[in-house]
Amino acid sequence: MDEILSTLGEIGSIGTAIGTLALVVLFWKTIMQLEETVKVSKIQSNYRFRPWIGHLNRIEFTGTKDDKDQFSMTVKNYGELPSSDVTVRYMSDTKQLKRDELKSDKISSFNLGPLLPNMEKKYWFYIDSKSIKDSKSGDAQIFVLLYFEYRHHSGTSGYGLISKYDRMTENFVHYDMWLDENQTDNA
């Protein structure tokens, strides 16, 4: 009888050890799952729950004023949170523009202010009417660079586009668009 109790005690000890080991493995897997959940939450916070500023439509001709043709572009916050501050940088030239010209002293800047989720704002810019006429006749080309920089909880982001005036359609064609994401300024 003592042998049977001793054997049952040993089997119970082995069962307890196996059960404890199983609990440790389950706790470890739970901790790993929580770690992944935190990573996903951080990604979601940085990319989903933030503003996403971009253009809504094409660049449109709106009229002529003081020998300058006025064009407008509508920008929209496609994100789920407001952007506290949207700044537009603009430049036009007769030569092909590149992204690094954002650092040029020829670029003009305008503050559009805050943009709430799904809110739209128009930005107007002017090009000399003579340049537009020269472009329509094929004597010149016109390029514009637009860059929308905006602040949000995880830093500063930007959306840029470079467009060329197409004399056949009398409209601007976007040939380069890019995003600058999370240029962190408050890590």
Side-chain angles (χ1 to χ4, degrees):
M1 183 70 153
D2 284 341
E3 280 183 27
I4 294 175
L5 288 175
S6 175
T7 303
L8 285 175
E10 288 177 16
I11 291 173
S13 293
I14 291 172
T16 302
I18 290 172
T20 303
L21 186 59
L23 278 174
V24 167
V25 168
L26 287 174
F27 283 142
W28 180 74
K29 290 219 177 240
T30 302
I31 290 170
M32 297 307 291
Q33 177 65 33
L34 288 173
E35 185 178 311
E36 290 301 314
T37 302
V38 168
K39 286 180 187 175
V40 168
S41 294
K42 185 175 181 180
I43 290 170
Q44 187 175 28
S45 171
N46 286 337
Y47 291 98
R48 181 173 174 212
F49 298 124
R50 57 163 279 190
W52 284 99
I53 308 298
H55 71 282
L56 180 65
N57 54 11
R58 61 190 174 98
I59 297 173
E60 298 173 339
F61 173 74
T62 56
T64 303
K65 181 178 178 182
D66 300 329
D67 291 329
K68 292 188 181 254
D69 287 4
Q70 180 183 24
F71 295 90
S72 74
M73 172 177 268
T74 304
V75 293
K76 179 178 180 176
N77 181 355
Y78 292 93
E80 295 185 22
L81 291 178
S83 173
S84 61
D85 192 24
V86 179
T87 302
V88 182
R89 292 192 229 159
Y90 163 77
M91 177 180 191
S92 70
D93 206 334
T94 56
K95 67 175 179 58
Q96 188 168 353
L97 297 170
K98 295 188 172 105
R99 294 179 186 187
D100 61 352
E101 296 192 58
L102 283 169
K103 299 171 187 152
S104 168
D105 56 351
K106 293 180 185 178
I107 201 150
S108 62
S109 183
F110 182 78
N111 189 337
L112 286 176
L115 221 60
L116 301 174
N118 294 310
M119 184 177 185
E120 300 171 8
K121 285 191 178 182
K122 286 197 181 262
Y123 172 70
W124 293 276
F125 60 91
Y126 297 89
I127 298 177
D128 185 52
S129 295
K130 183 183 179 322
S131 298
I132 296 291
K133 286 179 187 170
D134 289 347
S135 178
K136 286 180 182 178
S137 68
D139 295 335
Q141 294 182 336
I142 299 173
F143 296 90
V144 296
L145 173 110
L146 291 161
Y147 188 77
F148 303 93
E149 184 176 65
Y150 52 99
R151 295 185 167 285
H152 50 86
H153 64 87
S154 61
T156 303
S157 294
Y159 168 71
L161 59 108
I162 300 174
S163 304
K164 177 183 176 187
Y165 188 77
D166 181 25
R167 67 186 181 110
M168 301 303 234
T169 61
E170 295 186 0
N171 213 336
F172 283 91
V173 177
H174 309 309
Y175 70 87
D176 187 14
M177 292 183 270
W178 70 96
L179 291 173
D180 293 327
E181 295 183 42
N182 291 334
Q183 303 162 3
T184 306
D185 56 16
N186 57 351

